[in-house]
Amino acid sequence: MNRRAYQAIMRLRFMLLMQYRIAALAGITTQFMFGFVKIMVLEAFYLSTTQPQPLTFQQAVGYVWLGQAMLRLLPWDGDGEIQALVRSGNVAYELCRPLDLYSHWYARAIALRVAPTLLRAVPVFLVTLFVLPPKYALSIPTAGGWAAWILSTLGAIALGCAITNLINISMFWTISGEGISRLIPAVVIILSGMGVPLPLFPDWSQRLLELLPFAGLVDTPARFFTGQLSPTMIWVFLARQLVWTAILIIWGRRLLARGLRRVVVQGG
Amino acid sequence: MAQIVVQDLRKAFKVAKREAGLWNAFRGLVKREYTHVQALDGVSFEIEEGELVGYLGPNGAGKSTTIKILSGILLPDEGICQVMGRIPWQERIDHVREIGVVFGQRSQLWWDLPVIDSFELLRDIYRLSSADYRKTLEKVVDTLELTDLLEVPVRQLSLGQRMRCELAASLLHNPKLLFLDEPTIGLDAVSKLVVRDFVKTLNEEQGTTVILTTHDMDDIEALCSRVMIIGRGKILARGKLKDITREVARERRLVVELDGDYSKEYIRSQVPGAELVKLEGKQAHFDFDPARISPPELIANISARFQVRDLLIENQPIDEVISRLYGELHI
């Protein structure tokens, strides 16, 4: 493995993506607005519900803010540059490098997910932890909660990048990527818990949500952070994230190999 | 064994086709029709180390397909292809470490970053030691005159500047073999000369094998010791450019400046054995076959019948020869 190369690619992408500061600022405003709307809806729900819920209101608030802070970690689109490379045929150059293409793209995916998240997460965390009135604020977790959240966030990154890479690879079949990039957000947002916290979904759907990979993206870290899951459970959930990551990586590698076999480097 | 051995290489592409019009667009949804395009139809050649070979042919003849197979990007359907003893697409990673590729119509540099950042990334990708990297960099920067360009973001470079940087990028890892796919496309005269000189020196001084595809006959004339002409997926002619063109273009051109105005018909009737192809004012252009009529005889004929101010014999322009060659080879 040529670690140095993949790190260099990641670093370059990271530096480029960190340039989008104004976009991040605009994004943060949007995220606060969405966060408050969701919290208002949830508050109305918690005021009217008569049954005990699997998530306390305080935990639900935390869940929402975490989702907003880590929004850009969600793999709801592919790497625009890779899509352009495939569309234009410049992918030819990527194949002329002594690199494993899957790892190369995975390194780029890490930068694509982590750089914008860092830009947005830090201010959102600061405000929601320390500025907002306690009722609508993010509560500081226990030490165990922090540790479990960090581990499960790393798991979420690994998983999210495997999904991102699948979206990239699908370009070999669809060329434009338009269809996929409209379909994926709906699936990912709903099934990861970014829309409505997964514990509030009907009981019959819980098993299915647990089996699918998407809960590992938002739901798992959020539940550890808010204390809805005990930190001792981290190994089970981390294992689930990693097993899914492994499956998606193997699948992605197979698809990529097939895609490359049929590649008709576009143009000329 | 030769550095590159290609035997009976074949590659077909499946292309979805659809006739124009809305109705056919709908029909295409239900029933797709494909045509097979035979991009390579049994191509064979060998290239020795240190050669500088021109690969010619009209658009769509199969040049780029060959280059892509040689560089390990494309898989052929049939045939043998060995480059430095390796099968490119099977040992892609080891193979590409030793080759450099420039696709004239594409870019390998990072669009938003200064050139030097792309170079340093390539240094990491090819795992060059910093001593080796610095030595090569210094050399290419010097010969391609890149000193002022290194800090400039790629998107701000002119095409000529960018192409010089692309060439440099493809050579940082000191490849033994360089594929240049239309490296001078769209360049102005000065940039073309820089690129040409550089390739020539590289080939002569370092012994790098170069395969060059181009539409620019001047590139070929200036650089290539040997050419291969491909058309419709087959190699149709190979050898020295001079020998190939001599076969096609036996004819030479005689330009005569006459001292008076004559009609085309009159000139034609007076000069048998040569064809009047152009008459511009007092300048008459004749094509003639030196095997049938010797130049002194033709000139004697003409000067016996006309007052001649000046005359000049030249070979036919190379572009015309090549397009005639394509015509003769039915491509």
Side-chain angles (χ1 to χ4, degrees):
Chain A
M1 279 292 267
N2 188 351
R3 279 255 299 284
R4 191 171 121 196
Y6 301 117
Q7 280 165 3
I9 289 164
M10 199 160 73
R11 198 177 55 235
L12 266 191
R13 274 300 277 166
F14 202 88
M15 272 159 41
L16 266 177
L17 290 163
M18 289 297 267
Q19 291 176 350
Y20 299 113
R21 264 161 260 166
I22 300 294
L25 198 65
I28 289 167
T29 327
T30 320
Q31 256 110 65
F32 274 114
M33 204 212 44
F34 266 101
F36 276 119
V37 169
K38 282 184 183 177
I39 287 171
M40 284 190 279
V41 173
L42 284 171
E43 191 172 16
F45 167 72
Y46 274 93
L47 284 175
S48 63
T49 184
T50 50
Q51 290 165 352
Q53 293 296 327
L55 212 58
T56 66
F57 177 64
Q58 204 60 53
Q59 285 169 341
V61 168
Y63 195 115
V64 167
W65 286 131
L66 285 163
Q68 294 305 312
M70 310 300 275
L71 180 75
R72 295 302 298 258
L73 221 48
L74 211 61
W76 62 8
D77 56 0
D79 186 328
E81 274 189 19
I82 292 178
Q83 292 175 334
L85 286 179
V86 175
R87 205 173 303 136
S88 65
N90 271 352
V91 72
Y93 269 126
E94 308 264 291
L95 290 167
C96 290
R97 305 285 174 232
L99 291 179
D100 172 53
L101 196 60
Y102 188 92
S103 313
H104 178 171
W105 286 3
Y106 196 91
R108 292 178 62 122
I110 295 176
L112 179 74
R113 294 297 162 221
V114 175
T117 305
L118 274 186
L119 280 180
R120 284 161 212 237
V122 175
V124 174
F125 267 108
L126 289 178
V127 172
T128 54
L129 277 173
F130 303 117
V131 179
L132 293 182
K135 192 179 176 198
Y136 300 112
L138 190 59
S139 328
I140 297 175
T142 61
W146 274 116
W149 176 74
I150 289 171
L151 283 175
S152 56
T153 297
L154 292 177
I157 294 172
L159 183 60
C161 292
I163 297 176
T164 305
N165 237 3
L166 273 177
I167 302 173
N168 291 335
I169 292 162
S170 74
M171 283 296 293
F172 280 111
W173 282 266
T174 61
I175 303 301
S176 87
E178 278 282 311
I180 294 263
S181 50
R182 291 197 183 180
L183 201 68
I184 289 284
V187 175
V188 169
I189 288 174
I190 292 170
L191 297 179
S192 65
M194 183 60 83
V196 176
L198 293 189
L200 298 180
F201 273 53
D203 289 338
W204 58 264
S205 64
Q206 292 297 330
R207 257 259 39 99
L208 182 70
L209 292 171
E210 265 173 36
L211 282 176
L212 290 173
F214 304 103
L217 298 169
V218 177
D219 183 68
T220 306
R223 284 163 76 183
F224 280 115
F225 195 99
T226 56
Q228 202 262 347
L229 284 173
S230 147
T232 52
M233 292 290 284
I234 180 66
W235 307 114
V236 178
F237 282 81
L238 192 61
R240 197 180 69 178
Q241 286 174 322
L242 296 182
V243 166
W244 264 115
T245 306
I247 292 172
L248 295 179
I249 287 179
I250 292 168
W251 189 29
R253 281 188 171 281
R254 290 232 172 114
L255 273 183
L256 183 61
R258 264 177 52 198
L260 288 178
R261 231 172 290 140
R262 69 193 288 284
V263 68
V264 185
V265 174
Q266 302 289 321
Chain B
M1 201 170 79
Q3 196 175 29
I4 300 178
V5 179
V6 170
Q7 269 170 34
D8 204 27
L9 213 55
R10 283 164 206 278
K11 173 86 189 175
F13 292 110
K14 203 164 80 169
V15 181
K17 69 166 182 189
R18 201 190 77 207
E19 273 155 49
L22 191 60
W23 166 243
N24 283 308
F26 276 117
R27 233 182 45 176
L29 291 176
V30 188
K31 191 168 165 259
R32 276 282 171 91
E33 283 173 31
Y34 293 98
T35 40
H36 279 265
V37 177
Q38 193 72 37
L40 295 182
D41 192 9
V43 166
S44 308
F45 58 81
E46 288 190 3
I47 291 173
E48 299 290 339
E49 204 174 329
E51 276 197 277
L52 207 168
V53 178
Y55 198 29
L56 289 179
N59 288 325
K63 299 187 301 285
S64 291
T65 306
T66 317
I67 298 287
K68 282 171 193 160
I69 291 176
L70 287 176
S71 44
I73 298 170
L74 270 186
L75 226 71
D77 299 332
E78 279 175 64
I80 295 171
C81 171
Q82 283 205 331
V83 182
M84 293 177 267
R86 289 199 192 90
I87 298 175
W89 57 94
Q90 281 179 4
E91 299 166 76
R92 187 179 67 82
I93 289 185
D94 286 329
H95 169 69
V96 294
R97 219 186 288 282
E98 298 191 47
I99 64 167
V101 187
V102 174
F103 297 109
Q105 314 209 44
R106 314 190 183 288
S107 180
Q108 59 186 320
L109 307 167
W110 286 43
W111 195 243
D112 293 312
L113 294 175
V115 177
I116 189 74
D117 284 356
S118 289
F119 286 0
E120 280 172 10
L121 181 67
L122 288 168
R123 173 196 67 198
D124 289 341
I125 287 177
Y126 288 98
R127 289 199 246 189
L128 308 172
S129 74
S130 29
D132 282 349
Y133 167 73
R134 234 172 296 137
K135 216 173 80 192
T136 324
L137 183 67
E138 219 167 85
K139 204 167 57 194
V140 290
V141 164
D142 207 40
T143 42
L144 286 166
E145 295 162 37
L146 304 180
T147 323
D148 301 332
L149 305 181
L150 290 180
E151 309 291 327
V152 182
V154 174
R155 63 182 132 80
Q156 288 175 14
L157 297 177
S158 74
L159 186 61
Q161 292 170 333
R162 209 199 76 208
M163 193 50 67
R164 274 146 59 197
C165 296
E166 300 272 357
L167 261 178
S170 69
L171 292 167
L172 291 173
H173 58 294
N174 263 316
K176 296 185 185 124
L177 186 57
L178 184 62
F179 298 119
L180 300 174
D181 195 3
E182 304 189 28
T184 56
I185 195 161
L187 297 191
D188 62 47
V190 179
S191 306
K192 268 185 190 174
L193 282 180
V194 174
V195 169
R196 247 176 241 158
D197 278 352
F198 180 75
V199 172
K200 194 159 183 84
T201 336
L202 180 80
N203 172 259
E204 281 169 1
E205 287 177 8
Q206 315 243 351
T208 311
T209 314
V210 182
I211 298 183
L212 172 79
T213 81
T214 179
H215 291 294
D216 190 316
M217 284 307 134
D218 296 331
D219 284 353
I220 296 278
E221 267 192 315
L223 290 175
C224 300
S225 51
R226 190 158 77 90
V227 297
M228 304 187 287
I229 298 180
I230 186 173
R232 295 210 191 140
K234 289 188 165 127
I235 297 220
L236 300 165
R238 61 184 91 207
K240 290 205 167 101
L241 184 65
K242 264 194 192 141
D243 297 338
I244 297 178
T245 50
R246 199 174 297 144
E247 261 175 52
V248 185
R250 284 181 303 269
E251 300 201 324
R252 241 160 287 157
R253 181 160 289 181
L254 173 66
V255 184
V256 184
E257 201 169 324
L258 303 169
D259 198 10
D261 289 307
Y262 303 93
S263 75
K264 275 186 181 177
E265 290 71 28
Y266 179 74
I267 298 174
R268 281 204 179 106
S269 68
Q270 296 298 309
V271 187
E275 190 196 347
L276 178 71
V277 282
K278 213 160 46 173
L279 181 66
E280 282 171 346
K282 291 176 179 164
Q283 240 184 29
H285 297 240
F286 299 94
D287 277 356
F288 68 100
D289 182 350
R292 279 175 36 210
I293 179 164
S294 74
E297 194 186 336
L298 180 65
I299 292 168
N301 266 351
I302 294 175
S303 27
R305 291 183 181 122
F306 300 94
Q307 286 281 14
V308 174
R309 261 202 210 147
D310 194 5
L311 45 77
L312 172 73
I313 293 190
E314 56 186 21
N315 286 324
Q316 289 178 320
I318 188 96
D319 279 312
E320 281 178 32
V321 173
I322 288 293
S323 69
R324 177 126 38 107
L325 187 64
Y326 289 171
E328 248 175 55
L329 298 167
H330 303 291
I331 51 179

